[in-house]
Amino acid sequence: KQNKNKEAIEIYNKLKNDTINTNAVYQLLAVEYLNQKDSVNYLKTLKEGSEKIKDEQWFIGNIINYYISIKKMDEASKYLDGLIAKSPSTASYYTAKGDIENRLKNLSTAKEAYKKAIELDPASDAAYYGLGSLIYNEGYVLDEASQNIKDNTIYKKERDKATETFKQALPYLKKEFEWKSTDQDYKQALRQLYYRLQMMTEYEQLNNM
């Protein structure tokens, strides 16, 4: 089996400049390196692929997952900054930037990255979901914190803040669900938001879908 892996790697490396199947070749090559536990060439291949096929999220997603797995998210952020500097109009780079900054708890930076991705590609479903989820989580934190407030006036003020934040998340999660209405994760996210906003008619409609 190991010999077959090596043979496959040799073949894919020869085919890397194939202008018809470049995307598939780089993905297959990366997988072979991963199977060989060759992390250096795995990451190198992912990076080459992401720069050659800019609109392919597969490479970026796996680069991010790799950095997360070795607990080097700061490096992932720096790498994405480099990609954005080279290609500032590639929406998927900003979506990935939003994802990593969200994980790093740099929420304002993450929001701006998601918004830029949507500006560049209004059909960027991953950016809509990323931004909607981030804002929803902000609302959730505010809502949970308000439960410990004894003063009714302050409690109401904080609950109102949470509600307004949930409302800001609504258009993004609704749009995402319009695109992927069969995805149970997106359905659950929107259902939770409807419940938080006490939009019970919409909540029940979604339950019955």
Side-chain angles (χ1 to χ4, degrees):
K1 185 179 178 181
Q2 195 159 356
N3 286 336
K4 286 186 178 179
N5 283 128
K6 287 181 179 177
E7 285 175 20
I9 286 169
E10 286 178 13
I11 292 168
Y12 294 141
N13 269 308
K14 288 176 183 176
L15 292 172
K16 279 198 301 189
N17 296 318
D18 183 341
T19 54
I20 297 173
N21 296 309
T22 305
N23 190 349
V25 169
Y26 267 95
Q27 290 192 29
L28 290 167
L29 180 58
V31 170
E32 290 296 338
Y33 280 130
L34 183 63
N35 290 338
Q36 289 282 85
K37 299 187 179 354
D38 184 346
S39 59
V40 172
N41 278 311
Y42 173 64
L43 184 60
K44 179 184 174 186
T45 302
L46 291 175
K47 287 182 174 181
E48 282 182 11
S50 75
E51 293 190 35
K52 282 204 170 189
I53 307 103
K54 292 182 173 62
D55 58 350
E56 178 54 70
Q57 192 70 30
W58 188 88
F59 296 106
I60 294 292
N62 280 288
I63 290 168
I64 299 303
N65 288 338
Y66 173 76
Y67 278 123
I68 290 169
S69 73
I70 62 171
K71 297 179 170 49
K72 290 188 176 180
M73 286 187 286
D74 285 329
E75 285 193 27
S77 181
K78 288 174 187 173
Y79 172 67
L80 288 165
D81 286 339
L83 287 183
I84 288 168
K86 289 178 186 175
S87 184
S89 60
T90 302
S92 61
Y93 294 166
Y94 291 95
T95 301
K97 177 74 171 170
D99 289 343
I100 204 71
E101 295 299 335
N102 193 2
R103 283 180 171 271
L104 288 166
K105 306 299 181 188
N106 299 327
L107 301 186
S108 60
T109 304
K111 280 183 189 177
E112 290 308 310
Y114 286 133
K115 287 176 182 177
K116 185 64 177 178
I118 292 168
E119 177 190 319
L120 291 167
D121 179 11
S124 178
D125 60 307
Y128 272 90
Y129 183 70
L131 184 54
S133 298
L134 187 159
I135 297 170
Y136 173 88
N137 288 336
E138 286 184 319
Y140 177 82
V141 169
L142 288 169
D143 195 36
E144 289 297 299
S146 73
Q147 305 304 317
N148 299 317
I149 297 171
K150 306 299 181 187
D151 185 301
N152 280 336
T153 303
I154 299 174
Y155 167 76
K156 184 177 183 309
K157 186 178 178 182
E158 292 305 305
R159 282 299 301 275
D160 287 346
K161 272 189 199 175
T163 299
E164 284 306 309
T165 305
F166 286 134
K167 285 179 181 176
Q168 289 171 28
L170 186 58
Y172 299 108
L173 293 183
K174 276 182 71 176
K175 179 62 93 173
E176 177 62 28
F177 183 67
E178 283 174 19
W179 285 325
K180 295 190 175 179
S181 59
T182 59
D183 190 299
Q184 291 303 307
D185 288 339
Y186 297 143
K187 182 178 181 179
Q188 178 65 8
L190 185 57
R191 182 165 50 203
Q192 287 176 343
L193 184 54
Y194 282 145
Y195 185 80
R196 292 275 179 179
L197 289 170
Q198 288 299 288
M199 298 171 67
M200 302 315 292
T201 301
E202 290 83 354
Y203 177 83
E204 292 300 334
Q205 286 173 345
L206 204 56
N207 268 345
N208 296 326
M209 286 179 67

